Amino acid sequence: MYWNGVVERLNLTAKGSWFIYLTGSILLYFSITTTKNISRNEWILLCGMVGFYGWLINIVIFYIFDLLDSGDSSIGGIPDYFMFIVGPVTIAILFLNRYKSPTKLIRVILFSLLSFGH
């Protein structure tokens, strides 16, 4: 009985969650296998930093300001966390793997500003 409620609260079978799982898995695969310009230690550090900020933004948008609702608005399911943590982490890693130049910091700052402004 108890575990049925837990599994239900995870919202694993939410409508449209298959798309989030599919794109997140593809992005995660490419971010793991494409190590062109960053090392494994940088990869792990980026996962921690960007994942934390994604999780923080998830809390602010979904729970504090209630600006966006995905599925049941009173709970946060796995698709929400997958979308707000795995997505930004993998996109940031793929972006940083793409660019390696002296102006890398400027591009990263512009990319970050555009990402937050979107």
Side-chain angles (χ1 to χ4, degrees):
M1 282 281 203
Y2 174 77
W3 290 109
N4 288 338
V6 170
V7 172
E8 184 178 310
R9 287 184 57 89
L10 290 177
N11 208 12
L12 290 171
T13 59
K15 185 177 180 181
S17 63
W18 64 271
F19 182 72
I20 294 169
Y21 297 140
L22 180 67
T23 55
S25 299
I26 291 170
L27 286 171
L28 187 62
Y29 171 75
F30 282 128
S31 73
I32 290 172
T33 58
T34 307
T35 56
K36 187 170 154 185
N37 293 326
I38 64 173
S39 67
R40 283 291 150 193
N41 291 336
E42 291 171 332
W43 190 90
I44 292 169
L45 183 65
L46 279 169
C47 282
M49 287 174 32
V50 177
F52 171 74
Y53 287 118
W55 175 72
L56 192 65
I57 294 297
N58 182 21
I59 289 173
V60 169
I61 289 175
F62 275 86
Y63 300 114
I64 295 176
F65 293 127
D66 196 24
L67 294 176
L68 183 64
D69 291 325
S70 170
D72 189 359
S73 61
S74 65
I75 60 173
I78 296 295
D80 298 333
Y81 297 117
F82 210 77
M83 180 173 54
F84 278 92
I85 297 172
V86 174
V89 165
T90 55
I91 291 171
I93 289 172
L94 289 172
F95 175 79
L96 290 175
N97 266 327
R98 172 72 173 93
Y99 292 105
K100 183 171 178 138
S101 66
T103 60
K104 184 176 179 180
L105 181 62
I106 294 170
R107 289 179 180 169
V108 168
I109 291 171
L110 287 174
F111 175 76
S112 302
L113 291 174
L114 288 173
S115 297
F116 280 121
H118 186 267

